Amino acid sequence: MASERNTNFIKIDGVSHTFQTATGNLPVLDDLSLSVPKNGFTAIVGPSGCGKSTVTRLIAGLLRPNIGGVWLKGEPVNSPRDIVGMAFQNPVLLEWRSILKNVMLPLEIVPNSLSSVAREQRALDLLKLVGLSGFEDKKPSELSGGMRQRASLCRALVHKPEILILDEPFGALDAFTREDLWQTMHQLREKEPFTGVLITHDLREAIFLADEVVVLSGRPATTQFKQEMMERGPRSIDQLYTPRAMETLNILREQIKIARQNEGTVS
Amino acid sequence: MRHAMAPVFAIVLFLAFWELTVWVNDWPNYKMASPSDLWPAFWRFKWLFLTYGWETLWRTVIGLIIAVMVGLVFGVLMGFSRVLRQGLYPLLVGFNAIPKATVVPIVALMFVGQHDLNTVLIAFMISFFPIAVSVSVGLSTLEPEYRDILRALGASRFTIFWKIALPKTLPEFFGALKVAVTLAFIGTNLMEIVSPHGRGLGALFDSGKTNSDYPLMFAVLIALAILGIALYYVIVVLEGIFAGWADRQGE
């Protein structure tokens, strides 16, 4: 049973979901199944608007599927749980709080036995890890986009969540900043292992960060293709430019093409 | 220093222009009183200006405080519930569209003799609408990610409101409050002018009218402007304290 819990740390089984909109029903997920092992890292890619973000909301317990179920650590997800941390493309920092207070926000919500000094220390440690030492007292508006996203990552991790959900967190950043943040992600993961799900439309990002890449079909989305990565854990950016990485990229690109062609044909 | 001098300079220039215009056209003071006529009027009625100015001020402030409380309640209800928003909006817009000058005699009759209550009531009625609208718009346009970031941690609706929605709406709220404060002054004075045996600067204006004391009427207008400016800047100071983070000018 314990091993079952570890191989299926996150488990999505036979999930179908339809949104009711003003113009009618919009099926977004169709019999989607997915599982992520403990401390694994899965990247989900697919055509835009195919329901990737819906998957993150399901895992976070913000949304309950019409059909099928979601399990975390073997327990069904019925409502949000504080073992989850989230970061979005928009860093959604609170403009009226300092960076430090922003990072500490989850500790004000999640029940914990930390003293206020310990909470602050925890936030300071994380900020140091992502290279934001010295910016604790700044307001979010005084930071660059990349720095804001780093702070957002710290906030997602401050309460030591076992599961980290990233919904295109680096999508709005320039290429160099993005590569810096990819490295930061590996450092964070090495320091404090977590089980990760990354939604992205950047295939290079997916193969650089993930242990496994899942390609979703066009809407309504189902699991179309899975690709295990050869590497585990930290790797250097140079590895993105090896022939093997090129090969993987090509396979994934072909899969995305197929997904886009099939879009709308299934209903 | 330049900061402090700019408005003083503007006011002096304005008064000089006013004085000069009256002098050049040789207007009698029943047509247009000049600034030099105002000071004697102020001095002659200095105690009335002080006591009536206070009457006008406290009624306006009380009316405004009630407007803030009622406006917040409506704003929060409409900000969080689409049904309530759709249901209440036409009602509020209709209520706001009625010129308050027409409501004044109705209210004056309804609570006849209760001058304080009437005045506060009109000040409140005229000024709560912008507050309700701005708070409801601020809350209903909150990006869903902000809500999700706390909801995903299991935060209650109240926590989300208190930690995120409310502070995020404060800049809009203070913007509306600046509009509301001048509106509340208009409301107070409408009632003070219309009420027989009223008190407050509006009543002083009315007695200036019945006695054909034109400099006094102009002096009341200036006193109202001064009170308006003072109250406006009180709001600006409060805004700086509670929503100063939204000011990006220094960056």
Side-chain angles (χ1 to χ4, degrees):
Chain A
M1 190 58 206
S3 74
E4 153 72 15
R5 254 210 319 268
N6 284 346
T7 50
N8 289 324
F9 201 73
I10 302 173
K11 185 178 170 192
I12 300 177
D13 193 28
V15 163
S16 297
H17 196 79
T18 300
F19 285 121
Q20 262 108 47
T21 66
T23 49
N25 287 351
L26 183 73
V28 279
L29 301 178
D30 179 34
D31 196 21
L32 176 88
S33 295
L34 187 75
S35 71
V36 186
K38 187 173 168 63
N39 295 339
F41 199 115
T42 296
I44 300 177
V45 298
S48 46
C50 79
K52 298 191 291 288
S53 292
T54 309
V55 176
T56 63
R57 294 174 60 80
L58 287 171
I59 300 171
L62 295 170
L63 189 72
R64 292 185 68 178
N66 301 140
I67 304 170
V70 179
W71 286 266
L72 301 183
K73 298 167 74 180
E75 291 165 33
V77 176
N78 296 318
S79 57
R81 295 177 52 185
D82 55 31
I83 59 164
V84 172
M86 283 185 104
F88 306 98
Q89 176 168 358
N90 176 353
V92 286
L93 297 174
L94 312 183
E95 292 292 333
W96 55 94
R97 287 178 169 230
S98 67
I99 291 299
L100 181 67
K101 294 276 180 203
N102 261 292
V103 172
M104 287 166 70
L105 178 70
L107 296 177
E108 298 167 22
I109 315 284
V110 175
N112 63 80
S113 54
L114 294 177
S115 67
S116 60
V117 179
R119 289 178 185 187
E120 196 171 310
Q121 195 54 50
R122 166 75 183 144
L124 288 171
D125 289 347
L126 271 175
L127 284 169
K128 192 174 171 201
L129 203 61
V130 301
L132 281 182
S133 288
F135 293 93
E136 299 86 3
D137 297 326
K138 296 266 190 246
K139 290 276 154 62
S141 57
E142 297 173 272
L143 266 60
S144 69
M147 289 163 118
R148 280 202 280 263
Q149 202 50 263
R150 284 171 198 273
S152 169
L153 281 175
C154 290
R155 182 182 56 192
L157 289 168
V158 75
H159 57 296
K160 299 196 171 150
E162 294 174 73
I163 292 167
L164 182 66
I165 301 171
L166 303 167
D167 192 348
E168 295 191 26
F170 316 122
L173 304 175
D174 67 85
F176 297 117
T177 310
R178 206 180 304 163
E179 290 187 358
D180 280 348
L181 272 154
W182 293 350
Q183 312 268 27
T184 305
M185 277 310 300
H186 275 308
Q187 285 161 15
L188 286 169
R189 219 183 131 195
E190 201 177 24
K191 189 103 176 169
E192 300 184 356
F194 50 78
T195 307
V197 175
L198 168 74
I199 305 289
T200 180
H201 49 233
D202 183 339
L203 297 178
R204 290 169 67 241
E205 177 171 300
I207 68 171
F208 183 69
L209 287 178
D211 303 334
E212 185 181 45
V213 179
V214 173
V215 180
L216 296 189
S217 67
R219 203 173 58 222
T222 187
T223 322
Q224 176 182 307
F225 181 78
K226 287 182 191 178
Q227 172 82 41
E228 286 267 344
M229 297 295 116
M230 296 301 247
E231 297 88 353
R232 285 284 185 279
R235 45 209 106 153
S236 102
I237 289 283
D238 294 339
Q239 273 173 275
L240 274 178
Y241 300 92
T242 58
R244 202 173 62 206
M246 290 298 164
E247 199 181 314
T248 314
L249 268 178
N250 274 328
I251 294 170
L252 291 173
R253 281 185 51 194
E254 283 305 316
Q255 289 295 330
I256 297 279
K257 260 190 221 164
I258 296 169
R260 294 183 61 174
Q261 278 159 9
N262 291 347
E263 201 159 11
T265 55
V266 200
S267 61
Chain B
M1 200 53 200
R2 209 191 257 164
H3 275 319
M5 288 315 288
V8 172
F9 185 70
I11 289 171
V12 169
L13 207 67
F14 169 73
L15 290 177
F17 174 75
W18 180 1
E19 184 79 43
L20 197 72
T21 313
V22 174
W23 183 73
V24 165
N25 292 298
D26 201 18
W27 281 329
N29 67 14
Y30 57 80
K31 186 166 185 182
M32 182 84 160
S34 61
S36 57
D37 298 328
L38 301 185
W39 184 246
F42 270 123
W43 193 246
R44 199 149 60 105
F45 298 105
K46 53 183 180 295
W47 287 113
L48 275 182
F49 268 104
L50 278 179
T51 52
Y52 279 10
W54 167 245
E55 293 267 349
T56 299
L57 185 66
W58 78 255
R59 290 182 189 135
T60 306
V61 170
I62 299 289
L64 197 62
I65 289 173
I66 300 174
V68 166
M69 292 191 297
V70 175
L72 270 177
V73 169
F74 273 98
V76 169
L77 289 176
M78 294 196 302
F80 280 132
S81 159
R82 185 197 293 264
V83 179
L84 282 177
R85 185 157 64 244
Q86 287 167 343
L88 288 175
Y89 237 105
L91 210 61
L92 284 188
V93 172
F95 183 80
N96 191 51
I98 299 171
K100 294 301 169 292
T102 61
V103 183
V104 166
I106 299 174
V107 170
L109 272 179
M110 209 183 281
F111 305 102
V112 72
Q114 304 202 289
H115 188 51
D116 288 344
L117 175 73
N118 290 339
T119 316
V120 169
L121 204 58
I122 292 290
F124 148 69
M125 286 202 293
I126 204 171
S127 60
F128 93 102
F129 184 75
I131 296 172
V133 170
S134 74
V135 172
S136 81
V137 169
L139 292 180
S140 62
T141 53
L142 183 73
E143 293 94 327
E145 287 107 327
Y146 279 95
R147 208 165 298 156
D148 286 351
I149 220 85
L150 286 195
R151 261 189 70 205
L153 297 168
S156 67
R157 281 179 76 111
F158 178 77
T159 308
I160 295 171
F161 172 71
W162 187 248
K163 293 218 183 259
I164 292 192
L166 187 69
K168 206 167 164 40
T169 308
L170 278 181
E172 278 110 335
F173 168 75
F174 276 105
L177 200 54
K178 287 179 188 165
V179 178
V181 68
T182 39
L183 286 176
F185 257 113
I186 294 173
T188 314
N189 280 284
L190 275 176
M191 187 47 104
E192 286 173 352
I193 291 171
V194 169
S195 277
H197 314 298
R199 294 184 307 275
L201 290 178
L204 196 57
F205 180 86
D206 198 47
S207 74
K209 199 176 75 185
T210 39
N211 294 311
S212 304
D213 189 343
Y214 299 99
L216 174 60
M217 292 164 72
F218 276 92
V220 168
L221 297 187
I222 297 298
L224 282 171
I226 292 169
L227 277 186
I229 293 170
L231 211 50
Y232 182 87
Y233 279 99
V234 168
I235 308 277
V236 169
V237 168
L238 288 176
E239 183 184 30
I241 294 170
F242 291 107
W245 51 268
D247 181 17
R248 301 276 173 83
Q249 275 188 345
E251 284 163 29

